[in-house]
Amino acid sequence: MAEAVAAAPHSLPSGRTATGLAFAALALLALAACLLSIGTGAVPIGPARVLEVLTGGWADPMLARDSLVILNIRLPRTLLGLMVGAGLAVSGALMQGLFRNPLADPALVGVSSGAGLAAACVIVLGDRLLAGLGIPGPLPFALLPAAAFLGGLAATLGLYLVATRSGRTSVATMLLAGIALGALTGALTGLLVYASDDRQLRDLTFWSLGSLGGATWAKVAATAPAILPVLVAVPFLGRGLNALVLGEAEAFHLGIRVERLKRLAILLVAICVGAGVSAAGVIGFVGLVVPHALRLTLGPEHRRLLPACALLGGALLLLADVAARLVAAPAELPIGIVTALVGAPVFLWLLLGRNRLADA
Amino acid sequence: MPESPLLTAEDLAYTADGRDLVTDAFLTVEPGSFQAVVGPNGAGKSTLLRLLSGELTPARGRLAYGAEPAASIRPWRLACLRAVLPQSARLAFPFSVADVARIGLDGLGRGLSRRDRERLLGQALAQADVAHLADRPYQSLSGGEQARAQFARVLCQLAAGRTVAPRQVLFLDEPTASLDLRHQGAILDCADALRREGTGIVAILHDLNLAAAYADTLIVMDAGRIVARGRPEAILRDALVKEVFRVDWPVGRVPEGGRPFLLPRRSVAGTQHL
């Protein structure tokens, strides 16, 4: 073993230049998706015009109509989509690192529907509760993200406790527990449907399939303080998550505070999913497809993977939103349908490929 | 303080689900020593190793690295003081062998430039005989190759940790379990080279012949207790083998040096049963 002592420095399989190029490409893709998203709709606006308006042209009376559309409707929708997509993809990658398996997705294993149920409770029961207490409605919007966060946190914790025994997570148990959790939250949300009036019913439908249609600057302002700090914080979990890939004991041997890392990851997932669900409803498969695609191209190293997930997740959700707006124009499809149509086959393909690696 | 023990364990005990997995364990690890923990399945060898590495908190007793109580050492520093080679580990994500080994360098040590780390990585891959597999996905390797990739990771951790703590302990949990004969010898030779540089080695070994060949001290465990300890040639005798391992296999002696060895009863001429 010790023959080749003077070994040459090992060449990186994916060097720094390659990583830099990949990130530049992802940033360009996100930018292009933004221009497309801002330009698409009942009033089509070309990319040049979009750039003109965004770089100070909004005061120009010649551009008044486009400025109005862009600033009041398209821009908040695009920013919300970027943040929600980034949050979903990053929380998917975090959950997969935490559960040490590539099939964990917040929507697939019931975390998103847990958050959605909590939000639905607030929508349906909140008004009544307020009325009962004699406080005039409507509910402050900030309550929804808070409720969704708590719902997502409870779901993630519950799932972790059920699926993990003495530091080992069973993939089968996790997916089955996710099904049970999804069924339970679905049933409870169904109960709420009976108790809701027309306006609440429309809100609930929106929640269960997901849409960026309700984007306003108020929603952007409520979502940004939750998701943006997580996106900044998440690369610092990279070293710990890399070590956790080897196993919990091995991560401890490598100097990682494992319990703290796991608690932090669960908290960040709940924040991202809670903020995303309360702003745009339950959108599946983004957290599954994006990290998987990036692991194939950039490799599984978490300090590269997590920021890349934010870029690609934001870009892909915007593209899905553009598709949702175009397919049945002038009506809009719920965006969750688009992501599921793309994501479900990828999930199946992942399941089939897993047998080759035999990591059941 | 040149020759104070690297590690001192006194009266360690660990209980799980009402069963005493380890009781009354006393042990010191001296610099440049190689101790082999042997014993039948379920004797508490792995639990003892997990207690010594700080992974489990003992129900009773004291554990110190140098003069510092282990419980008060921060995980990061502990990772520079000792490394652990696990029995086997499967990975859920397609890390390459070089990626896996690099995890051992990541964030540990002090004052290492990117160049230094790449040099240490190259050395570790070569020492563990996985340099030719560096770009292969870990998941696609055989069990023995995976074990060697993990060993490269452990060598990286020791090399990085040495910049902070020069007095280190290496724990090996059945390091030879999935290896062919050449790599069994190679991994233990590599551990022995570390021992000569002052690292204290504690290895769980099932093969008493390998234990007798490499260890200066055998620690024999049975039912959670250390039942015998000493130089292999002093303690490895027919009676101990019969009592602890419940087999009636004769202990032989190598003509030169008198190191003990063990053969299955069936292969010893004239004494076949059945």
Side-chain angles (χ1 to χ4, degrees), chain B residues 196-231:
Chain B
R196 279 194 302 268
E197 289 162 19
T199 303
I201 313 282
V202 181
I204 295 177
L205 289 170
H206 270 300
D207 187 328
L208 290 176
N209 290 322
L210 284 175
Y214 282 91
D216 45 52
T217 307
L218 287 190
I219 295 171
V220 186
M221 289 191 76
D222 193 17
R225 288 169 189 279
I226 296 175
V227 294
R229 140 176 28 212
R231 289 184 301 117

Side-chain angles (χ1 to χ4, degrees), chain A residues 23-111:
Chain A
F23 270 93
L26 286 172
L28 275 178
L29 179 68
L31 192 67
C34 282
L35 291 179
L36 191 65
S37 165
I38 294 176
T40 308
V43 184
I45 305 172
R49 180 66 68 86
V50 171
L51 283 174
E52 204 181 336
V53 169
L54 290 182
T55 52
W58 60 76
D60 188 341
M62 293 287 289
L63 301 172
R65 190 199 61 167
D66 288 350
S67 297
L68 193 73
V69 171
I70 289 174
L71 294 182
N72 290 337
I73 302 170
R74 305 269 177 84
L75 191 57
R77 181 170 191 154
T78 302
L79 290 178
L80 196 69
L82 263 185
M83 285 191 294
V84 170
L88 286 176
V90 163
S91 48
L94 275 178
M95 279 191 79
Q96 287 148 25
L98 177 72
F99 284 97
R100 272 183 288 139
N101 103 62
L103 297 177
D105 170 75
L108 206 61
V109 295
V111 173

Side-chain angles (χ1 to χ4, degrees), chain B residues 2-52:
Chain B
E3 289 305 309
S4 63
L6 301 172
L7 180 152
T8 317
E10 288 174 4
D11 194 24
L12 288 188
Y14 187 77
T15 308
D17 301 328
R19 285 180 56 227
D20 294 332
L21 297 182
V22 168
T23 25
D24 302 334
F26 287 79
L27 192 137
T28 58
V29 179
E30 304 289 343
S33 67
F34 194 134
Q35 306 187 62
V37 182
V38 300
N41 294 336
K45 305 185 295 293
S46 289
T47 307
L48 177 66
L49 209 69
R50 293 169 72 191
L51 284 169
L52 295 177

Side-chain angles (χ1 to χ4, degrees), chain B residues 16-133:
Chain B
D17 301 328
R19 285 180 56 227
D20 294 332
L21 297 182
V22 168
T23 25
D24 302 334
F26 287 79
L27 192 137
T28 58
V29 179
E30 304 289 343
S33 67
F34 194 134
Q35 306 187 62
V37 182
V38 300
N41 294 336
K45 305 185 295 293
S46 289
T47 307
L48 177 66
L49 209 69
R50 293 169 72 191
L51 284 169
L52 295 177
S53 71
E55 183 189 333
L56 295 177
T57 308
R60 198 179 63 232
R62 277 193 307 279
L63 176 70
Y65 278 81
E68 298 172 81
S72 68
I73 305 176
R74 296 154 63 92
W76 182 85
R77 200 176 132 64
L78 200 54
C80 297
L81 288 167
R82 61 98 182 87
V84 184
L85 180 71
Q87 254 184 51
S88 70
R90 279 194 300 218
L91 262 56
F93 302 115
F95 278 82
S96 72
V97 169
D99 286 337
V100 168
R102 198 179 279 116
I103 292 173
L105 286 170
D106 197 10
L108 294 176
R110 201 169 276 151
L112 289 171
S113 68
R114 177 175 284 265
R115 247 188 114 76
D116 293 335
R117 289 181 193 276
E118 289 304 310
R119 181 177 49 80
L120 294 178
L121 176 67
Q123 284 173 356
L125 291 174
Q127 279 182 327
D129 196 19
V130 287
H132 59 293
L133 304 171

Side-chain angles (χ1 to χ4, degrees), chain A residues 102-103 288-289 292 344-355:
Chain A
L103 297 177
L288 186 80
V289 173
H292 182 67
V346 174
F347 175 63
L348 268 180
W349 179 60
L350 267 177
L351 265 183
L352 293 175
R354 215 164 57 88
N355 296 336

